[in-house]
Amino acid sequence: MPQVRVVTDEGEPLGVMDTRDAIRSAREKGLDLVEVAPKAKKKANEAKKKQVVITVKEVKFRPGTDVHDYSYRMKRSREWLQEGDKVKATIWFRGREMAHRELGARILEQLEKDLADVGDVEMRPRMEGNQMFTIFMPKRHKKPEGSKPPAEGRSPAPSPAS
């Protein structure tokens, strides 16, 4: 049996009870049983379906990453950003490489320039332990307000003859 949340005519909550019991209680008091927000759960479910799940994909580099490897990872990052995912670019340092952090910073700067048309930097490069990372998020394409696309199949209005 479906259950309903019951509220008195003064607005005080009586609790959740079976529909039959709610109808019986209303008749005993000489009141009508009124349904309020019948589609509240349905709307919540529809809103949940429309949510976009953004995942964070990761690309890993080393300070001495070759040009070909860099370009492959950059292209993958570009694809992920175009699909709407975030990208975390990580540079792993080992041993004496920690003394040359500028090499890792250079790679991340170049990646930022190469992905500028499809992504924005969400988090600037920073060190955590033996790795440096930055996070890119997809660019938001906003349409200018007030501009409407031209109606198809219509010719522009004729100009007055002078």
Side-chain angles (χ1 to χ4, degrees), residues 1-16:
M1 185 87 217
Q3 294 190 331
V4 293
R5 181 176 310 278
V6 181
V7 181
T8 64
D9 53 340
E10 285 89 32
E12 297 172 17
L14 283 180
V16 178

Side-chain angles (χ1 to χ4, degrees), residues 4 17-28 31 33:
V4 293
M17 56 177 74
D18 287 337
T19 308
R20 276 193 218 129
D21 295 338
I23 292 171
R24 189 178 316 116
S25 175
R27 285 185 182 152
E28 287 172 2
L31 300 172
L33 189 64

Side-chain angles (χ1 to χ4, degrees), residues 51-128:
Q51 286 181 342
V52 177
V53 177
I54 296 176
T55 56
V56 179
K57 309 274 186 155
E58 185 174 15
V59 285
K60 294 182 181 181
F61 297 94
R62 295 286 311 280
T65 299
D66 190 47
V67 176
H68 175 265
D69 293 332
Y70 168 83
S71 63
Y72 173 77
R73 292 179 179 127
M74 184 268 297
K75 286 176 187 168
R76 292 294 294 147
S77 301
R78 176 179 293 281
E79 291 170 13
W80 291 333
L81 288 168
Q82 288 171 339
E83 291 170 6
D85 295 326
K86 290 185 179 183
V87 175
K88 179 180 181 180
T90 306
I91 312 278
W92 280 88
F93 296 96
R94 288 197 310 205
R96 293 180 185 164
E97 293 172 346
M98 287 294 282
H100 301 288
R101 294 181 188 169
E102 72 277 356
L103 296 174
R106 244 185 261 150
I107 291 173
L108 293 180
E109 281 177 29
Q110 185 61 44
L111 190 63
E112 182 179 341
K113 289 176 189 170
D114 291 339
L115 298 176
D117 58 328
V118 291
D120 293 323
V121 176
E122 182 178 294
M123 184 184 293
R124 290 267 157 223
R126 70 181 208 202
M127 286 294 296
E128 249 183 38

Side-chain angles (χ1 to χ4, degrees), residues 112-150:
E112 182 179 341
K113 289 176 189 170
D114 291 339
L115 298 176
D117 58 328
V118 291
D120 293 323
V121 176
E122 182 178 294
M123 184 184 293
R124 290 267 157 223
R126 70 181 208 202
M127 286 294 296
E128 249 183 38
N130 65 343
Q131 59 184 343
M132 179 184 289
F133 70 94
T134 187
I135 298 177
F136 296 94
M137 64 181 183
K139 273 202 172 173
R140 299 281 173 241
H141 298 289
K142 292 183 180 175
K143 295 179 182 173
E145 291 180 28
S147 66
K148 295 180 183 175

Side-chain angles (χ1 to χ4, degrees), residues 147-161:
S147 66
K148 295 180 183 175
E152 292 181 30
R154 299 175 104 193
S155 59
S159 58

